[in-house]
Amino acid sequence: MPRADVRGIVGTGAPEHAPAEAPEDVGAEPVVKAGGRQGVRPRTRPPAGPYGDGDIDGDIDGHLGGGGGTGGSGHAGGHAGGTPADARPPELLSAVRAAGELGLRRGEFARAVQLGLVRCGPRAAGGATRFARAELDRVRAGEGYPRTLRERIETVAGADAGARALGTGPSRFTRLARCGHLTPVGYRINRYRAVVWLYLAAELREFAAREPGLLSGAAPPGDRELLEAKADLRPRRWRGRHVGLLLRRTADPWERAAVLASVLPEQQVRQAVPDPAERIVLAALAPPPPYGHPQVPAAAAVAGPLLLAEPPDEVHWYRTSLDFALTGARGRRNSTGDRGRSDSTGEEGQSNSTGERGPT
């Protein structure tokens, strides 16, 4: 069902409000239930997105919605100043070609998109993500390119590599991560079906310089309480960052509501959205799983719970945020036409929803 037609199911209603903000650790890709769920999470796109490492099977062009070759999008005609009638639309590239032109591997490019370092352009007619030539030029013009770009997207996997980057031992690194001092940027499932968390190397180095006291000595009282309770805040911290990044990539109220709904258990979504038509809209707009999310059933069963909020207070936070986002979405007039679609383009063909304004 075309995006505009799907959204047209929903009418107008309450006054407009701004959608909810992201939870903790906003600033550093898509969450849906592994395998989808009936009536709430149907997806036709391949399960993936710009999260995780590059060694997970799957082509980045499929994960990011791309396809071979280049696409084109733009508007002919002019404005009050008189744009030439034969003005060419901006050149748009597929994800694979954009990654090649930036000299990045699949996983590196996915991480750059995830972190907002490379902004998506308008989607092609079939829904494939494209990247404007002007955006690639902007990235290449950055100071210190490509060294600084690679430094910002460099990741380390697991406690041993993380401990080396932090300058401490693996056990202390694990304790700091479990107690919420370090926020993962992604994950992968290894051959033993264990979760391997990924961290930005630059963030680990910044933490070591900022909190040297936590790298040695006894654990703070708060950490000791968490350890005694066998708490592990890594999944929750990752979800917060993940949702925050997704919210920053769109100002569309229904897409923002879909992001928040995607991390809630099905029962919570049905309670928050009793109208089946609205649930169809949220399901159609639900973001794909993060890049690197496993497709093998055994591994997907391990990774699936990471995508869902579990602690009661976390569920309550997302439920409250969803209610608030839905209020704003329902208040939008002309939901099928002039709702500020996320694939509208700016002057250079770059998606307005992926600009630098951040969450709205």
Side-chain angles (χ1 to χ4, degrees), residues 142-164:
E143 183 178 358
Y145 172 86
R147 176 183 54 84
T148 54
L149 176 61
R150 292 185 180 277
E151 289 177 350
R152 296 177 70 180
I153 62 179
E154 179 188 3
T155 59
V156 296
D160 291 338
R164 288 193 295 270

Side-chain angles (χ1 to χ4, degrees), residues 43 195 209 236 241 284 306:
R43 292 293 300 184
V195 179
R236 178 171 182 166
R241 162 175 259 173
L306 302 176

Side-chain angles (χ1 to χ4, degrees), residues 19-245:
E21 288 297 332
E24 55 192 1
D25 283 284
V26 172
E29 293 59 274
V31 184
V32 296
K33 316 306 179 283
R37 59 193 197 198
Q38 185 176 3
V40 179
R41 295 292 186 278
R43 292 293 300 184
T44 57
R45 296 171 57 191
Y51 255 103
D53 220 358
D55 57 355
I56 306 300
D57 46 351
D59 181 61
I60 189 174
D61 206 29
H63 283 302
L64 295 180
T70 61
S73 176
H75 300 280
H79 48 68
T83 301
D86 59 348
R88 293 183 179 181
E91 183 180 3
L92 301 174
L93 309 179
S94 69
V96 169
R97 184 170 174 184
E101 295 212 1
L102 291 178
L104 300 177
R105 297 190 298 270
R106 298 185 311 182
E108 291 175 333
F109 184 73
R111 186 78 60 207
V113 174
Q114 169 204 357
L115 298 176
L117 303 178
V118 178
R119 300 174 297 191
C120 301
R123 293 186 180 274
T129 302
R130 294 290 186 254
F131 298 85
R133 170 74 65 182
E135 173 64 7
L136 304 185
D137 293 340
R138 182 193 67 82
V139 174
R140 281 192 290 258
E143 183 178 358
Y145 172 86
R147 176 183 54 84
T148 54
L149 176 61
R150 292 185 180 277
E151 289 177 350
R152 296 177 70 180
I153 62 179
E154 179 188 3
T155 59
V156 296
D160 291 338
R164 288 193 295 270
L166 205 59
T168 187
S171 60
R172 183 174 293 270
F173 177 88
T174 300
R175 188 254 291 173
L176 291 173
R178 291 177 64 95
C179 293
H181 296 287
L182 307 172
T183 301
V185 72
Y187 61 82
R188 58 182 173 86
I189 308 301
N190 64 15
R191 58 184 174 180
Y192 304 107
R193 299 180 187 175
V195 179
V196 178
W197 293 103
L198 309 177
Y199 301 86
L200 290 174
E203 288 187 354
L204 297 183
R205 291 190 289 265
E206 291 172 2
F207 178 84
R210 186 177 67 251
E211 301 287 353
L214 292 176
L215 303 183
S216 61
D223 287 6
R224 290 198 296 269
E225 293 179 5
L226 290 172
L227 294 174
E228 291 175 0
K230 300 186 183 302
D232 186 355
L233 301 183
R234 289 174 293 185
R236 178 171 182 166
R237 299 280 287 182
W238 172 79
R239 283 190 294 269
R241 162 175 259 173
H242 181 56
V243 169
L245 287 172

Side-chain angles (χ1 to χ4, degrees), residues 298-313:
V302 176
L306 302 176
L307 306 179
L308 288 173
E310 183 178 2
D313 60 327

